[in-house]
Amino acid sequence: MRINVLGVGFDNVTMDEAVDRGMELLHSPGTHCVVTPNPEIVEVCRENLAARQAVNGADLVLPDGIGVVKGAKMLGTPLKEKVPGIEFAAGLMERMAAEGRSLYLLGAKPGVAETAGEKLAAKYPGLKIAGTQDGYFQEDGPVVEAIRQSGADCVFVCLGAPKQELWMSRHGQATGARLLCGLGGSLDVFAGVVERAPKFWSDHGLEWFYRLCKNPWRAKRMMKLPLFLVHVRKEKGRK
Ligand code: UDP
């Protein structure tokens, strides 16, 4: 049973369990999707039905960040722990490398996915980079075909939310990949274009604050965070 946080159902798993589930999906016939909503995406889902359906329709819904974990706790239905998408991706790549699996990197500005691919191939020997494509393409068809041709087992779809969730639910199956993971800005981090917050900040639930200080332009987007807490409080009052 999923844990409902303002209309988004989260899988109640630890990081290790999430990676195990990801690998199970990779081994199962058919196409499967993993999404990693943070409070900002939950807020988007409250207003956007298509986004909500795409997120809830995924096979694995992971709480990316402390905000969702706090929200679930306030609602009296705690989640085991935060499962940041980027750490989930790292765990998955380690396991995929051990099995010699292939990964396609889709998203971010031109050049970023290639650099990320080079760095990831060096970091995870055995992992095959099946192909890369930046996230500013005009037509979906050729991109879907390129992924299909590459024969990738897994695709990291990093187009920002809710674009990546909608893209995966519309085109996932046609790519022929077993697993697609929506991972926001992860390729920028893997390529070394953007730094993740140092451990101290994330250990103290302050990764969002670090990102805000580094990128003040995020302030408008981040206003969704206090809004999320207001909505959780309201929902709690109704219970
Ligand atoms: N992006 C993209 N295509 C688009 C819009 C965004 O590839 O049409 C990329 C953008 O370059 C960035 C990622 O999507 O690499 C979104 O990053 P952001 O930090 O906003 O995502 P978050 O991790 O906060 O969800």
Side-chain angles (χ1 to χ4, degrees):
M1 252 257 296
R2 284 185 172 166
I3 290 192
N4 182 349
V5 179
L6 303 181
V8 173
F10 286 89
D11 286 286
N12 190 14
V13 287
T14 63
M15 175 61 79
D16 288 346
E17 288 166 350
V19 174
D20 284 348
R21 292 272 291 275
M23 289 308 287
E24 269 169 40
L25 294 172
L26 194 77
H27 292 143
S28 313
T31 297
H32 311 91
C33 292
V34 181
V35 294
T36 61
N38 57 19
E40 202 182 307
I41 302 178
V42 173
E43 281 300 312
V44 169
C45 288
R46 289 185 79 244
E47 288 155 18
N48 181 333
L49 177 64
R52 187 160 74 240
Q53 284 171 340
V55 165
N56 284 331
D59 300 272
L60 192 54
V61 183
L62 303 173
D64 179 284
I66 198 68
V68 173
V69 173
K70 286 218 161 110
K73 192 170 175 201
M74 282 166 72
L75 291 167
T77 47
L79 284 158
K80 288 179 186 169
E81 63 183 18
K82 66 173 174 173
V83 184
I86 193 154
E87 288 171 29
F88 166 77
L92 203 63
M93 285 189 286
E94 212 174 296
R95 300 271 293 271
M96 286 198 292
E99 294 185 5
R101 299 277 180 169
S102 60
L103 174 66
Y104 194 101
L105 304 175
L106 172 62
K109 300 215 170 93
V112 174
E114 281 95 324
T115 307
E118 285 159 19
K119 295 204 170 168
L120 294 174
K123 187 163 181 196
Y124 301 99
L127 182 71
K128 298 186 185 100
I129 302 299
T132 60
Q133 162 68 48
D134 72 69
Y136 295 85
F137 50 90
Q138 299 303 317
E139 284 178 61
D140 297 316
V143 175
V144 170
E145 194 45 35
I147 299 174
R148 178 177 271 287
Q149 291 285 331
S150 79
D153 298 305
C154 179
V155 188
F156 286 176
V157 185
C158 303
L159 305 172
K163 193 173 175 183
Q164 62 203 9
E165 288 78 11
L166 294 169
W167 199 91
M168 290 193 295
S169 81
R170 274 184 204 143
H171 305 292
Q173 212 152 13
T175 64
R178 281 278 170 89
L179 189 65
L180 294 100
C181 308
L183 293 168
S186 299
L187 291 182
D188 296 314
V189 177
F190 292 142
V193 176
V194 168
E195 252 179 83
R196 250 200 111 188
K199 198 168 174 303
F200 169 85
W201 297 84
S202 52
D203 281 355
H204 290 79
L206 290 169
E207 186 155 7
W208 62 272
F209 184 64
Y210 181 87
R211 290 178 93 181
L212 179 62
C213 293
K214 283 255 167 172
N215 306 290
W217 55 267
R218 277 184 173 267
K220 195 160 164 246
R221 270 176 63 174
M222 283 200 169
M223 283 314 289
K224 287 218 153 60
L225 194 64
L227 198 63
F228 169 81
L229 292 172
V230 167
H231 289 144
V232 168
R233 282 233 166 81
K234 261 198 193 156
E235 182 63 29
K236 192 181 168 196
R238 273 199 218 114
K239 279 194 164 188

